[in-house]
Amino acid sequence: MKEERAAKGGEQRSVDERYTQWKSLVPVLYDWLANHNLVWPSLSCRWGPQFEQATYKNRQRLYLSEQTDGSVPNTLVIANCEVVKPRVAAAQHISQFNEEARSPFVKKYKTIIHPGEVNRIRELPQDSKIVATHTDSPDVLIWDVESQPNRHATLGVNNSRPDLILTGHQDNAEFALAMCPSEPFVLSGGKDKSVVLWSIHDHVSTLAADQGATKSPGSGASNSKPSAEGPTVQARGIFQGHDDTVEDVQFCPSSAQEFCSVGDDSCLILWDARTGSSPAVKVEKAHNADLHCVDWNPHDVNYILTGSADNTVRMFDRRNLTSGGVGSPIHIFEGHTAAVLCVQWSPDKSSVFGSSAEDGILNIWDHEKIGKMEDSAGRKASTSPPGLFFRHAGHRDKVVDFHWNAADPWTIVSVSDDGESTGGGGTLQIWRMIDLIYRPEDEVLNELEKFKSHLLTCS
């Protein structure tokens, strides 16, 4: 017991030291940083639509959750976020923040009383006011966040009524959830080892037509039936092939009929709904442990990322994948010291992606930099793992989710569950690294040269 406490104390000291060092570098490394202390942990965060543009900042919806201890209900939170434009933030905004404070840039707009913990939030690309959520149940819940009434989260209050309930899982589906980029399709995976596909096409058009009306959303569609909790939709397809819990799913960006999934059986499976409900390709040993997350490159549909409890991120080329045996990744990215929880490609640059983990770090990678990170003399210019070019160390505990902002592509929102290290709550951070880090080297050097001549003139 003593040894355990000593080990935990040592871990906490190293986290505190890392955090102190990171905080001292914030004014140098970041163009903007908003730190928002959360009373309750949030397991998922997503950008919503941008709704106002101004000279120095834009206003945008932000979706997150509150995972409570039962003293008040669990909630889905819609916030308004002021996103400061690049090269606008004053130095004091980013250098003098208090990690206990709530950011003035993030304001709660609406609260939905969620029936159970919000484990995952995903927005519909065709209509980003429509979001799907996963909780500890077999169902996927669909919400029109603009037409849902604002509720007060007090003990004993009734749950908000979902606009739609997607049924088809035989056991809890807690995390694996995705929305299709090209069609209003929803994909889910769960403890029943299955991947389930729905179309909410009819319901999205009905929701749009009946905004604010009393008619049940989707009640005119042929495969829905009303219930006390909300209208339900049955699955379009159920796909079997995993041998354990499905932890994450993702659509192919160029095809609504193709998707992939990963799970606790260490498998990466590619599916094609046009060829049936069995795997198109099943990579039996994609990692050396459970797989937690997957993402499909929106710019080059041959590349797929996976993250695992073996602490690595792997990049696969689907043209090289064959069923059975061990997967052959193009590259294994080794920059985390604990299980990887989330991976996501940048919406802006095809070779850039982020990964977050239980080690409290969010890494930004560029796979094009692998093998190129040498100086003019051929020496290795960095001791960092190949491809790693930025480490966000602003969280003190596991970074459970993050999301690139498509409207402002180098701005990221990330959330950590700080329960174990700080005695409860969570931290939401919205941040943008300084552009000197990711812009082309020649461009940066030219700009710095101008500053140099200006400084010489001034002196």
Side-chain angles (χ1 to χ4, degrees):
M1 206 55 190
K2 269 185 188 173
E3 289 85 353
E4 247 179 66
R5 276 201 300 270
K8 278 193 175 171
E11 279 174 30
Q12 190 55 50
R13 273 194 304 278
S14 67
V15 168
D16 290 344
E17 285 164 12
R18 183 186 77 194
Y19 184 82
T20 303
Q21 183 188 18
W22 167 80
K23 197 172 170 184
S24 70
L25 293 170
V26 164
V28 180
L29 296 177
Y30 293 84
D31 178 64
W32 182 52
L33 173 76
N35 188 87
H36 191 67
N37 183 50
L38 301 171
V39 177
W40 302 108
S42 179
L43 296 185
S44 194
C45 58
R46 301 293 285 184
W47 290 107
Q50 193 178 85
F51 62 90
E52 189 181 310
Q53 292 187 325
T55 309
Y56 297 113
K57 50 194 174 188
N58 300 322
R59 298 182 78 200
Q60 192 167 354
R61 293 276 192 259
L62 187 64
Y63 306 135
L64 60 147
S65 63
E66 291 178 320
Q67 179 194 17
T68 70
D69 60 2
S71 59
V72 292
N74 291 284
T75 63
L76 171 63
V77 175
I78 298 93
N80 289 339
C81 179
E82 292 185 338
V83 181
V84 176
K85 290 186 177 180
R87 298 195 165 202
V88 166
Q92 63 265 28
H93 281 175
I94 59 174
S95 63
Q96 297 174 357
F97 70 85
N98 172 7
E99 54 263 37
E100 301 302 320
R102 297 172 77 78
S103 170
F105 295 103
V106 181
K107 291 186 171 66
K108 193 178 282 190
Y109 164 68
K110 186 180 284 189
T111 300
I112 292 168
I113 308 298
H114 198 270
E117 295 177 355
V118 183
N119 297 332
R120 193 63 56 94
I121 306 165
R122 292 293 180 263
E123 73 292 345
L124 186 68
Q126 298 84 28
D127 186 347
S128 55
K129 73 177 189 296
I130 308 256
V131 302
T133 57
H134 255 327
T135 186
D136 297 345
S137 87
D139 299 332
V140 177
L141 308 180
I142 304 291
W143 308 88
D144 181 334
V145 295
E146 293 300 325
S147 65
Q148 281 283 334
N150 185 29
R151 304 285 301 282
H152 293 291
T154 53
L155 189 60
V157 69
N158 290 333
N159 292 327
S160 297
R161 185 173 181 262
D163 291 280
L164 216 55
I165 299 170
L166 311 186
T167 62
H169 279 294
Q170 302 305 309
D171 200 347
N172 285 358
E174 295 171 338
F175 291 104
L177 184 63
M179 299 285 223
C180 177
S182 54
E183 296 279 345
F185 291 173
V186 183
L187 197 63
S188 167
K191 287 185 175 179
D192 57 3
K193 308 171 190 175
S194 63
V195 173
V196 184
L197 175 70
W198 295 269
S199 169
I200 57 169
H201 195 279
D202 299 332
H203 310 280
V204 172
S205 55
T206 310
L207 283 169
D210 297 345
Q211 184 84 3
T214 53
K215 183 183 164 191
S216 291
S219 58
S222 58
N223 71 337
S224 71
K225 63 180 192 294
S227 74
E229 295 82 25
T232 62
V233 177
Q234 294 164 355
R236 171 177 279 215
I238 298 176
F239 301 83
Q240 306 281 356
H242 280 285
D243 301 315
D244 207 334
T245 301
V246 180
E247 294 286 359
D248 201 9
V249 289
Q250 192 57 256
F251 279 97
C252 174
S254 63
S255 168
Q257 305 299 325
E258 295 176 75
F259 37 91
C260 63
S261 58
V262 295
D264 290 345
D265 53 5
S266 301
C267 292
L268 164 64
I269 299 183
L270 272 58
W271 311 86
D272 190 332
R274 295 165 297 195
T275 60
S277 58
S278 298
V281 178
K282 181 176 181 177
V283 182
E284 304 256 349
K285 196 81 175 161
H287 281 258
N288 301 321
D290 299 358
L291 274 77
H292 292 320
C293 47
V294 65
D295 198 26
W296 206 316
N297 193 318
H299 308 280
D300 186 336
V301 294
N302 291 313
Y303 293 145
I304 295 170
L305 288 172
T306 55
S308 165
D310 66 9
N311 305 353
T312 71
V313 175
R314 299 190 176 191
M315 186 167 106
F316 294 93
D317 186 330
R318 69 167 174 170
R319 295 165 294 190
N320 301 340
L321 293 178
T322 53
S323 288
V326 179
S328 310
I330 302 171
H331 191 76
I332 299 174
F333 298 88
E334 298 176 306
H336 288 289
T337 56
V340 179
L341 301 176
C342 183
V343 289
Q344 198 198 359
W345 290 102
S346 160
D348 187 56
K349 192 162 186 274
S350 62
S351 59
V352 171
F353 65 90
S355 63
S356 68
E358 289 183 358
D359 58 11
I361 298 290
L362 200 166
N363 284 330
I364 306 295
W365 310 80
D366 186 343
H367 72 78
E368 283 184 352
K369 290 186 186 294
I370 295 169
K372 294 179 184 175
M373 298 176 87
E374 294 178 343
D375 61 21
S376 54
R379 293 172 302 221
K380 194 175 179 187
S382 170
T383 54
S384 299
L388 179 63
F389 72 95
F390 192 82
R391 288 169 76 85
H392 177 66
H395 293 282
R396 291 180 188 263
D397 213 321
K398 50 186 177 291
V399 183
V400 288
D401 200 12
F402 72 93
H403 192 204
W404 297 86
N405 189 344
D408 188 358
W410 285 93
T411 300
I412 291 173
V413 59
S414 51
V415 286
S416 56
D417 179 350
D418 301 343
E420 289 174 25
S421 62
T422 60
T427 301
L428 178 139
Q429 290 180 340
I430 302 160
W431 53 275
R432 184 193 304 118
M433 71 180 82
I434 196 161
D435 63 7
L436 299 177
I437 293 170
Y438 60 80
R439 281 167 48 208
E441 191 178 336
D442 293 348
E443 204 178 286
V444 170
L445 290 173
N446 287 338
E447 182 166 325
L448 292 175
E449 196 63 37
K450 284 178 192 168
F451 279 119
K452 181 181 164 189
S453 59
H454 175 69
L455 289 169
L456 289 170
T457 308
C458 288
S459 60

